[in-house]
Amino acid sequence: MVVAFADSYCSSELDNEYMPLRKRRRLSKRCSLGDPAQNDNDEGNTSPWRPTFLHEYPGADVVLRVNDAYFKVHKERLTRASVLADMFELPQPVDAERVDGCPLVPVYGDEVADWEATILWLYEKDGVAHGRAQHWPVLKGALRISTKYAISNLRDSIVASLCAIWPETIFDMDLNCLPNAAEAITLARECNVPQILPSAFYALSVQRWSSGIDNWTSHLAISASDLRRLIAGRESVQEFLANILVNPLYDPDVTTDGTCAACQSSIASYWRAKLAPDANTPWTFWISREMKGMLNDHAFMDSLCDDVCFDTHDSLLWARMRRLNESVPRFFLLA
Ligand SMILES: [Zn+2]
């Protein structure tokens, strides 16, 4: 049972992606060694059974047990968690359980993968780059543990990484916002990171659901009420887009007076072409991305008459970008 679990864990995505080769080799060796329960009190015994270590660092002086997995780590690292530091302050009974000559610290109710992520972060922060979607398992696991055990500097660091992926301004999102948006919503609820919700909902809403690129899992990752928020928000973004497509030159905050007829026609065609859904993209109408791209389309801007006609297009763009960003929390029923 333990061996089977350890083997499956050894081949997990997390290990393969983040673990240095040297550790991976050691881990696969350890993982085949068996049941830790038979060796808890046996330093220097002759039994072939050893604890199923996931990590062991040189000079480590304490063993953390999470379900069937053991992590041999430095007490100093763990005491960065105030909850665990308090635990170490308590006098240890003389017959306290020991593993590999070190005091055993069992924790309860956590996932092994979450601790794996946390320990990787505590030891190898520089190797686990911030804010990159491919490190989602690390972000997710370490956020859960740092929240539960009040490791404030780790939690702050993870929250900053999440805010880089799902920022306050939807125009600052890149392709990294797409893959884990549904799980991010659930994680934000679970670990109290509400600031990423508007962008995470928006990122989830732009995806082309019919493509099945999410392996048909996104709707399962969020609660029923969040699914409703997603649908409502998608509706509102579609209406926002439809209003532009129906009359690209109309905006309640922009006057188009003085724009010449040729530029009016050119601006209308341009907006319709840019914001029309493109069947070749994995998203349907990611209009914030399109509008951000339009900001840098100097060729089109240079084609307009100076001053009035240019200002009309520029004002339409900024007014719509501002309004869309401000509206996202309301669109997704978060405000
Ligand atoms: Zn003009």
Side-chain angles (χ1 to χ4, degrees):
M1 183 80 179
V2 172
V3 174
F5 171 78
D7 283 348
S8 69
Y9 194 79
C10 283
S11 61
S12 77
E13 185 193 350
L14 189 61
D15 289 332
N16 290 337
E17 271 191 47
Y18 306 115
M19 196 171 295
L21 187 59
R22 172 178 56 81
K23 282 208 185 95
R24 247 182 271 160
R25 249 192 244 121
R26 189 173 64 204
L27 178 57
S28 24
K29 195 174 154 204
R30 289 271 181 132
C31 279
S32 64
L33 289 175
D35 186 348
Q38 300 187 24
N39 190 45
D40 282 354
N41 289 309
D42 262 354
E43 194 184 1
N45 70 11
T46 54
S47 160
W49 300 106
R50 297 288 311 277
T52 310
F53 281 103
L54 289 180
H55 286 292
E56 180 180 345
Y57 293 96
D61 52 2
V62 67
V63 172
L64 190 71
R65 183 174 72 203
V66 188
N67 299 328
D68 291 330
Y70 290 65
F71 300 88
K72 193 171 180 183
V73 292
H74 294 85
K75 187 172 159 184
E76 179 270 330
R77 299 267 177 177
L78 293 184
T79 51
R80 293 177 191 180
S82 57
V83 175
L84 291 173
D86 291 347
M87 207 157 83
F88 287 128
E89 290 298 311
L90 299 173
Q92 298 294 310
V94 281
D95 59 347
E97 218 175 342
R98 296 177 77 82
V99 168
D100 252 21
C102 298
L104 177 71
V105 181
V107 295
Y108 301 98
D110 301 332
E111 296 292 330
V112 174
D114 291 352
W115 267 106
E116 167 88 1
T118 304
I119 286 168
L120 278 175
W121 191 289
L122 289 174
Y123 277 88
E124 301 171 20
K125 188 176 166 188
D126 295 339
V128 183
H130 295 215
R132 289 165 54 183
Q134 59 265 44
H135 295 136
W136 172 249
V138 177
L139 294 176
K140 182 175 63 172
L143 180 66
R144 282 191 180 136
I145 298 297
S146 64
T147 301
K148 178 175 173 183
Y149 293 94
I151 315 175
S152 57
N153 55 350
L154 174 59
R155 186 182 140 87
D156 291 349
S157 175
I158 306 279
V159 168
S161 295
L162 293 174
C163 288
I165 303 173
W166 296 285
E168 193 181 344
T169 305
I170 58 169
F171 296 94
D172 291 339
M173 279 192 283
D174 58 25
L175 292 172
N176 284 327
C177 75
L178 297 179
N180 306 297
E183 266 197 283
I185 290 169
T186 302
L187 187 70
R189 301 266 187 220
E190 180 190 331
C191 298
N192 191 28
V193 193
Q195 58 269 46
I196 66 167
L197 284 173
S199 281
F201 268 103
Y202 181 73
L204 190 56
S205 80
V206 305
Q207 300 185 30
R208 193 179 291 283
W209 285 65
S210 58
S211 73
I213 202 167
D214 64 337
N215 292 322
W216 295 78
T217 56
S218 289
H219 62 294
L220 300 173
I222 57 177
S223 69
S225 54
D226 278 341
L227 187 57
R228 188 177 180 88
R229 285 189 182 86
L230 177 71
I231 294 167
R234 201 171 148 104
E235 251 172 32
S236 297
V237 173
Q238 277 175 313
E239 281 173 29
F240 186 96
L241 170 63
N243 284 332
I244 297 174
L245 295 179
V246 166
N247 188 352
L249 285 161
Y250 172 75
D251 187 281
D253 297 330
V254 176
T255 174
T256 55
D257 293 351
T259 312
C260 78
C263 286
Q264 283 196 24
S265 168
S266 167
I267 290 170
S269 304
Y270 178 75
W271 275 87
R272 287 194 176 111
K274 284 289 176 188
L275 298 191
D278 178 353
N280 296 317
T281 60
W283 51 85
T284 48
F285 30 80
W286 194 352
I287 56 177
S288 60
R289 185 179 171 86
E290 295 302 337
M291 287 199 276
K292 190 178 177 184
M294 288 161 71
L295 276 180
N296 296 316
D297 190 347
H298 300 292
F300 175 72
M301 291 184 192
D302 289 347
S303 74
L304 300 170
C305 308
D306 286 343
D307 300 332
V308 176
C309 299
F310 171 86
D311 282 347
T312 295
H313 171 67
D314 195 53
S315 303
L316 286 170
L317 192 49
W318 283 104
R320 286 165 180 164
M321 287 177 70
R322 196 180 309 114
R323 191 175 320 110
L324 179 61
N325 197 60
E326 288 171 357
S327 304
V328 163
R330 184 170 45 80
F331 282 177
F332 292 89
L333 313 179
L334 297 165

